[in-house]
Amino acid sequence: MDLTQDMVKELLHYDPDTGIFTWKSRDRRWFSSNVGWGVWNGRFAGKRAGCERGNSANGYRRRRISILNSYYLEHRLAWLWMEGGPVPEQIDHVNRDATDNRWANLREAKHIQNGRNQSLHSNNSSGYGGVSRSSGKWRARCHMLGKDHHIGTFDDVEKAAEAVQEFRRLHGFSPEHGLTPPRYHTHYPEPIFPISGRQARKR
């Protein structure tokens, strides 16, 4: 079953100012029994929907919501709730926090634009995006259009970082790209989400 804007609005309330989805009381027709109907509404109606899930390799986290045994990314549901379909293939989080789904933080983006507005990677060891230790010096580089571009080597780590930032500026990167890690590298809230029956399919 493909979700529609009407279906999402019937099942969920979305607050554009906070980015929070809340479960609405669900009509009897969504359930096979009166017991299931009562249990679900008693447990979830009025509660925040969804949970955070992350990639164990890089710590990247997003919110998702289980609807009728399928998972949907929360930012895509926000777009459907506000604009209707079709939902853009790429939606960028302006502040680079993929768990912050306030409407003002979401924008349609091309793949290249999305890739040039990212947080500092969790495996970075220098504290500066694009800067790494190499043979006793600091190497500055930038990954762009599928290639690593060598910018230079420096004795001072801050000089290397400045060179990376200037290269990025000249090539249209967001000014904040790679400067700070996302807040979810250190914050892992407990997930709360309804799943009934078999394991939901990832959507």
Side-chain angles (χ1 to χ4, degrees):
M1 179 186 297
D2 292 329
L3 283 185
T4 65
Q5 185 184 50
D6 288 342
M7 188 184 301
V8 173
K9 286 193 171 186
E10 179 180 350
L11 299 175
L12 292 158
H13 174 264
Y14 170 65
D15 185 340
D17 294 327
T18 65
I20 292 176
F21 279 90
T22 306
W23 291 113
K24 290 183 176 180
S25 294
R26 196 167 289 186
D27 188 83
R28 171 65 179 82
R29 76 180 190 281
W30 294 102
F31 300 88
S32 60
S33 70
N34 288 332
V35 172
W37 177 37
V39 168
W40 194 97
N41 282 313
R43 183 177 180 186
F44 296 111
K47 304 284 183 63
R48 182 173 184 177
C51 65
E52 285 189 19
R53 282 291 184 269
N55 184 313
S56 60
N58 59 21
Y60 185 73
R61 300 182 72 80
R62 297 184 292 187
R63 290 191 62 85
R64 63 184 186 178
I65 297 175
S66 174
I67 302 177
L68 306 179
N69 291 329
S70 290
Y71 281 126
Y72 298 86
L73 293 173
E74 194 172 271
H75 59 278
R76 300 186 68 79
L77 290 176
W79 194 282
L80 183 60
W81 202 96
M82 295 290 291
E83 297 287 342
V87 178
E89 182 177 349
Q90 293 275 334
I91 299 175
D92 186 30
H93 291 80
V94 178
N95 70 359
R96 298 163 307 286
D97 183 347
T99 67
D100 180 358
N101 291 311
R102 291 172 296 137
W103 184 239
N105 195 42
L106 304 179
R107 65 183 177 188
E108 182 176 1
K110 301 294 185 182
H111 178 73
I112 189 170
Q113 181 184 15
N114 209 346
R116 294 183 181 184
N117 184 41
Q118 297 183 1
S119 299
L120 183 69
H121 290 176
S122 62
N123 61 357
N124 180 279
S125 59
S126 70
Y128 298 93
V131 178
S132 59
R133 196 72 167 166
S134 177
S135 301
K137 291 183 179 291
W138 295 102
R139 180 186 180 193
R141 59 183 176 178
C142 181
H143 189 78
M144 183 176 68
L145 300 177
K147 297 180 179 180
D148 271 332
H149 296 263
H150 176 72
I151 301 171
T153 55
F154 302 81
D155 293 324
D156 184 81
V157 65
E158 293 184 352
K159 293 295 184 183
E162 289 172 4
V164 172
Q165 284 301 102
E166 178 62 13
F167 183 93
R168 289 172 172 171
R169 184 187 68 80
L170 292 174
H171 291 87
F173 283 73
S174 164
E176 291 78 29
H177 175 88
L179 293 186
T180 57
R183 62 96 184 159
Y184 45 76
H185 280 175
T186 57
H187 176 61
Y188 296 89
E190 290 297 320
I192 300 176
F193 55 97
I195 296 181
S196 60
R198 58 186 175 79
Q199 177 64 32
R201 298 189 305 275
K202 182 178 180 181
R203 177 65 67 92

